[in-house]
Amino acid sequence: MELPKIGEKITTTRARGLCRYFGIDELVKRIDAAPDRYKDWEFDGCSCLPDEALGLFTGCNWQVITYHCCLPHDLRYAYGEPGNDAERKAADEQFYDDLIQQAGMKPWMAAAFLAGVRAGGAEEFGLSFSWAFARKTA
């Protein structure tokens, strides 16, 4: 599967295919159940960080971090169930595990990334990367 470039628009159909690619089957089912609940969004890579610099900062391959850690995390956040703190926490813990297992990041550094997404991704902020960000508002 061709993964999106940073800055590329992600349609609900494209997101469904990406969720299937990453094995996030519960999100495929959620999207299939009500695709009209979601809006298109822009893939920003690792939100709030310059992706190409991640390699220098972390000692890990930035493309692995961006596409195999941040992208699946973005999908979980985009199509997360509003108000579901347990689901959000599980998405963040999977991100932490992916940083270590997929990218080879040191646990202390992955913990810093985890702290950042826990603090900055809160649904209440309503940012372009906040929990459930692809959900259309009423």
Side-chain angles (χ1 to χ4, degrees):
M1 163 165 274
E2 186 176 330
L3 299 177
K5 294 178 177 42
I6 294 172
E8 187 174 326
K9 182 170 79 169
I10 306 298
T11 64
T12 303
T13 301
R14 179 83 189 277
R16 184 189 179 285
L18 289 166
C19 288
R20 183 169 299 287
Y21 173 78
F22 287 112
I24 314 172
D25 297 330
E26 66 276 11
L27 293 184
V28 173
K29 290 176 187 172
R30 183 174 289 160
I31 292 167
D32 284 348
D36 56 322
R37 286 187 184 160
Y38 305 102
K39 62 185 177 183
D40 297 346
W41 51 279
E42 184 178 312
F43 177 56
D44 66 354
C46 296
S47 304
C48 304
L49 294 171
D51 289 68
E52 292 84 0
L54 286 172
L56 299 172
F57 175 68
T58 65
C60 303
N61 181 307
W62 74 267
Q63 290 102 337
V64 173
I65 297 170
T66 297
Y67 294 105
H68 297 281
C69 303
C70 293
L71 178 55
H73 186 254
D74 283 0
L75 291 164
R76 288 182 177 96
Y77 260 56
Y79 303 97
E81 181 183 352
N84 189 331
D85 293 331
E87 184 180 348
R88 179 176 172 236
K89 184 177 181 194
D92 292 342
E93 289 172 351
Q94 183 63 56
F95 177 60
Y96 171 83
D97 290 344
D98 287 346
L99 288 170
I100 294 169
Q101 295 172 13
Q102 302 266 347
M105 193 176 283
K106 302 255 188 255
W108 66 267
M109 188 171 294
F113 277 68
L114 175 61
V117 299
R118 292 300 299 159
E123 187 174 347
E124 300 80 42
F125 294 152
L127 302 171
S128 64
F129 51 84
S130 294
W131 180 253
F133 67 80
R135 177 83 53 151
K136 290 179 182 173
T137 55

